[in-house]
């Protein structure tokens, strides 16, 4: 007979030359998990070595000051408040020069200690919160405005506040 011939298509998930079986890759560990194995808590030797870089009055270890300098205004967000409220630095260092910043960054890198930077602490998204402990580098003393070009580009240290930059610019415009 001359009946209709139905074409049978393979199911989309069928295995064959057009649909080869590809192994499912193992899930890659998250960045957080990978960093956990690389970073570590500070030891007495680490604290002693810090004292070779900065004078003791610029190494903060008291619980009240650690808590203050491990925070910004993250608590504006209920989600961030829940996620970040228990995060705390083990030490806060307060460099006063670029050379000290460089030495402290090298120190943290060589010893695999987490390092979190803090400017003025005025953010409200948790940027300066040490999510893995370690060291907070408080850059508040580095607030020099070096120059402002005629087209308005400011060259300044990390803790220079916008209000101070604006005052310099406004003062210059009136000269």
């Amino acid at each position: 007979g001359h009946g209709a011939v139905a074409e049978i298509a393979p199911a989309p998930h069928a295995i064959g030359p057009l649909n080869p079986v590809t192994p499912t890759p193992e899930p890659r560990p998250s960045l957080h998990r990978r960093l956990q194995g690389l970073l570590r808590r500070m030891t007495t030797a680490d604290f002693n070595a810090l004292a070779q870089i900065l004078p003791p009055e610029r190494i903060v270890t008291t619980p009240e000051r650690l808590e203050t300098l491990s925070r910004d205004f993250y608590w504006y967000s209920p989600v961030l408040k829940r996620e970040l409220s228990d995060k705390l630095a083990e030490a806060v260092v307060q460099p006063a020069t670029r050379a000290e910043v460089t030495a402290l960054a090298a120190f943290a890198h060589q010893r695999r200690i987490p390092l979190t930077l803090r400017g003025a602490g005025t953010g409200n998204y948790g940027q300066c919160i040490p999510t893995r402990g370690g060291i907070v580098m408080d850059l508040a003393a580095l607030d020099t405005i070096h120059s402002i070009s005629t087209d308005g580009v400011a060259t300044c240290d990390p803790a220079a506040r916008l209000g101070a930059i604006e005052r310099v610019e406004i003062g210059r415009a009136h000269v």
Side-chain angles (χ1 to χ4, degrees):
H2 293 278
V5 177
E7 198 172 309
I8 301 174
H13 62 278
I15 298 170
L18 297 176
N19 297 309
V21 174
T22 53
T24 305
E26 289 293 317
R28 192 168 179 203
S30 69
L31 178 61
H32 174 73
R33 252 219 217 281
R34 286 182 281 155
L35 286 175
Q36 277 182 324
L38 296 176
L39 303 174
R40 63 178 187 77
R41 308 267 313 161
M42 293 182 69
T43 65
T44 302
D46 295 326
F47 284 100
N48 291 336
L50 267 180
Q52 302 304 309
I53 301 171
L54 290 181
E57 63 272 11
R58 291 196 280 130
I59 302 170
V60 177
T61 58
T62 59
E64 303 80 28
R65 294 286 294 146
L66 286 177
E67 186 169 350
T68 298
L69 294 169
S70 294
R71 304 278 183 266
D72 63 7
F73 293 93
Y74 74 97
W75 45 265
Y76 283 155
S77 162
V79 172
L80 292 178
K81 185 174 183 181
R82 181 175 57 249
E83 295 294 320
L84 300 175
S85 64
D86 65 337
K87 307 303 181 200
L88 192 66
E90 296 168 72
V92 173
V93 293
Q94 298 173 315
T97 67
R98 288 181 182 189
E100 288 175 347
V101 169
T102 302
L104 291 163
F107 170 86
H109 174 74
Q110 289 164 356
R111 292 174 178 259
R112 292 158 60 154
I113 299 169
L115 178 64
T116 304
L117 303 180
R118 174 189 174 86
T122 58
N124 59 1
Y125 295 103
Q127 297 99 320
C128 70
I129 296 179
T131 58
R132 291 179 179 82
I135 299 170
V136 166
M137 188 184 305
D138 178 9
L139 300 168
L142 299 169
D143 62 353
T144 302
I145 300 165
H146 298 283
S147 67
I148 301 177
S149 68
T150 55
D151 59 346
V153 176
T155 302
C156 53
D157 286 347
R161 294 186 182 227
L162 290 176
I165 296 168
E166 288 174 350
R167 284 189 295 281
V168 169
E169 182 64 13
I170 290 168
R172 188 176 73 170
H174 290 4
V175 174

